[in-house]
């Protein structure tokens, strides 16, 4: 019988696509997000067994509750997908929203990576994929300062843990997905419009799972983003940050 795959932030966007792909591969799924109705609707369209857990992972107590519900399952794949952003001048954006962003994008990812990895190490197998962003590979992102900083944490953290596993000969995989803009509801929640054209969620997830199977630590879908990240390495930091500032602008709504 197939083992379990867990997906946080499974109610929309990349989370939905991960659920569809992993269900098609025969995995039993554990779907985690705030919106229970969306999770139940998704589960109803999937062919494999699905367990739905409604939880707000901006709360540490909820992270602990979710872990207690899944810790005894034989989890083969864990997708740390839950996260969001916000766009605007740092002095004008919501502090409460940013504090929730830090809790979800950093602390929840850290929490689940540590707990799930400890379990996977006992049987020396499993995959953890942390959904980061190309933003996390850049020195900073004006007008999305907090979001870029949270994703920088995820990419740095993931790379370090992956190297520790490599050095000890572990068969457990830990990697991070670093796409550029993706056409999901992320943009609406973040109040942002990107200059660069987005890729589809389906393509992003398909590419991510293929590269995860190849044990690639930092996964960057789309050739144009790989080229941009490579080019950025040769730019002075201050120039790179100024260019980043021009890639996004706040979406004004009426």
């Amino acid at each position: 019988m197939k083992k379990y795959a867990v997906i946080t932030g499974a109610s929309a966007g990349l989370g939905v696509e991960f659920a569809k792909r992993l269900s098609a591969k025969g995995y039993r799924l554990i779907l985690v997000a705030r919106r229970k109705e969306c999770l139940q609707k998704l589960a109803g369209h999937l062919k494999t067994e699905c367990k739905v857990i409604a939880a707000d992972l901006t709360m540490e107590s909820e992270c602990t509750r979710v872990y207690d519900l899944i810790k005894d399952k034989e989890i083969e794949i864990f997708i740390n997908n839950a996260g969001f952003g916000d766009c605007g001048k740092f002095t004008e954006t919501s502090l409460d929203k940013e504090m929730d962003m830090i809790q979800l994008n950093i602390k929840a990812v850290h929490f689940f990576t540590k707990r799930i990895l400890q379990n996977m190490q006992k049987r020396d197998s499993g995959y953890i994929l942390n959904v980061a962003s190309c933003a996390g590979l850049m020195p900073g992102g004006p007008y999305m300062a907090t979001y870029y900083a949270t994703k920088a944490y995820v990419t740095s953290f993931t790379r370090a843990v992956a190297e520790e596993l490599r050095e000890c000969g572990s068969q457990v995989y830990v990697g991070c997905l670093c796409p550029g803009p993706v056409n999901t509801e992320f943009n609406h929640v973040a109040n942002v419009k990107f200059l660069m054209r987005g890729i589809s969620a389906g393509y992003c997830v398909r590419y991510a799972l293929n590269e995860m199977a190849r044990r690639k630590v930092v996964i960057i879908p789309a050739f144009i983003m790989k080229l941009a990240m490579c080019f950025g390495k040769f730019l002075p930091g201050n120039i790179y940050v100024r260019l980043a500032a021009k890639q996004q602008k706040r979406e004004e709504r009426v």
Side-chain angles (χ1 to χ4, degrees):
M1 181 176 288
K2 282 283 187 177
K3 299 173 184 177
Y4 284 92
V6 181
I7 306 160
T8 68
S11 60
L14 293 179
V16 170
E17 292 299 324
F18 274 116
K20 290 178 179 177
R21 291 277 171 185
L22 292 172
S23 178
K25 291 178 179 289
Y27 283 94
R28 294 183 289 175
L29 301 181
I30 299 174
L31 308 175
V32 184
R34 289 181 304 164
R35 295 177 291 184
K36 186 175 182 178
E37 305 81 10
C38 294
L39 294 177
Q40 290 174 330
K41 183 177 179 180
L42 172 61
H45 287 90
L46 300 176
K47 295 181 179 180
T48 52
E49 173 192 333
C50 294
K51 178 179 177 61
V52 166
I53 303 177
D56 182 355
L57 301 184
T58 63
M59 301 169 61
E60 189 171 344
S61 60
E62 285 285 87
C63 293
T64 300
R65 180 176 70 85
V66 170
Y67 176 70
D68 287 341
L69 290 171
I70 68 174
K71 64 184 179 182
D72 294 326
K73 305 290 187 185
E74 190 167 354
I75 297 167
E76 184 168 291
I77 297 176
F78 193 100
I79 310 291
N80 259 318
N81 173 68
F84 68 90
D86 195 23
C87 185
K89 293 181 179 179
F90 181 70
T91 54
E92 298 174 1
T93 48
S94 165
L95 179 59
D96 287 341
K97 188 174 182 179
E98 287 166 344
M99 292 296 100
D100 283 347
M101 192 191 310
I102 290 168
Q103 173 64 46
L104 186 60
N105 293 12
I106 294 179
K107 295 180 73 175
V109 170
H110 188 115
F111 175 92
F112 284 115
T113 300
K114 193 175 191 74
R115 290 299 188 214
I116 299 302
L117 177 56
Q118 288 171 333
N119 289 345
M120 287 180 172
Q121 278 192 305
K122 293 175 184 177
R123 61 178 188 273
D124 198 27
S125 68
Y127 297 81
I128 298 173
L129 183 65
N130 295 329
V131 177
S133 167
C134 278
L137 302 174
M138 300 169 69
Y143 307 109
M144 294 189 77
T146 305
Y147 176 75
Y148 273 60
T150 63
K151 294 305 182 180
Y153 182 96
V154 175
T155 56
S156 175
F157 163 71
T158 301
R159 281 170 152 167
V161 173
E163 177 59 18
E164 290 181 17
L165 293 173
R166 188 196 67 80
E167 289 189 359
C168 72
S170 174
Q171 295 304 303
V172 181
Y173 165 90
V174 174
C176 56
L177 172 60
C178 297
V182 182
N183 296 326
T184 68
E185 69 173 26
F186 171 91
N187 298 355
H188 180 77
V189 174
N191 305 305
V192 66
K193 285 185 177 180
F194 291 108
L195 178 65
M196 184 173 291
R197 186 175 181 179
I199 61 175
S200 73
Y203 169 79
C204 183
V205 167
R206 183 170 65 252
Y207 186 90
L209 291 176
N210 287 340
E211 292 296 281
M212 185 180 79
R214 295 177 58 234
R215 308 185 75 84
K216 180 76 172 177
V217 174
V218 178
I219 301 170
I220 306 175
F223 175 75
I224 188 67
M225 287 309 305
K226 289 181 182 179
L227 192 63
M229 293 300 101
C230 183
F231 176 70
K233 295 177 182 179
F234 300 98
L235 288 175
N238 62 329
I239 301 298
Y240 204 179
V241 171
R242 289 170 190 171
L243 288 174
K246 299 181 183 301
Q247 297 306 306
Q248 59 260 334
K249 65 178 181 178
R250 187 171 179 83
E251 182 180 45
E252 301 298 336
R253 301 187 184 128
V254 294

